[in-house]
């Protein structure tokens, strides 16, 4: 529930930048849900193309349940 609320806030507000704290939280969710061990990165395209996009797909599928 708390993770979904954070993802909902994050993806509906679409921040222009991802803070270090936001990246850590997104990574924690990503690692837990997908059983991965991804690490923080300073490579923005790496983060957006991998972790960000996969989390969005998972969030969007889950959010459909509440439409």
């Amino acid at each position: 529930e708390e993770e979904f609320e954070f993802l909902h806030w994050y993806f509906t507000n679409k921040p222009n930048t991802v803070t270090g704290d936001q990246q850590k939280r997104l990574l924690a969710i990503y690692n837990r849900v997908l059983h991965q061990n991804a690490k923080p990165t300073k490579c923005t395209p790496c983060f957006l193309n991998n972790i960000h996009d996969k989390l969005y797909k998972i969030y969007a599928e889950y959010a459909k349940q509440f439409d």
Side-chain angles (χ1 to χ4, degrees):
E1 175 84 22
E2 184 179 323
E3 290 176 337
F4 176 76
E5 288 176 8
F6 173 74
L7 291 176
H8 180 72
W9 171 85
Y10 178 80
F11 288 119
T12 55
N13 287 304
K14 299 177 184 170
N16 292 328
T17 59
V18 179
T19 67
D21 287 340
Q22 289 170 337
Q23 187 178 138
K24 286 178 189 173
R25 193 154 181 200
L26 291 167
L27 277 170
I29 297 168
Y30 175 86
N31 287 336
R32 186 188 68 73
V33 171
L34 296 174
H35 307 285
Q36 298 293 314
N37 192 24
K39 305 288 185 205
T41 180
K42 292 184 181 183
C43 172
T44 301
C46 301
F47 182 78
L48 292 176
N49 293 330
N50 294 311
I51 289 142
H52 188 271
D53 288 351
K54 289 177 185 174
L55 269 181
Y56 181 75
K57 288 176 186 174
I58 292 166
Y59 160 77
E61 276 300 311
Y62 189 77
K64 284 180 185 178
Q65 297 177 31
F66 302 102
D67 284 342

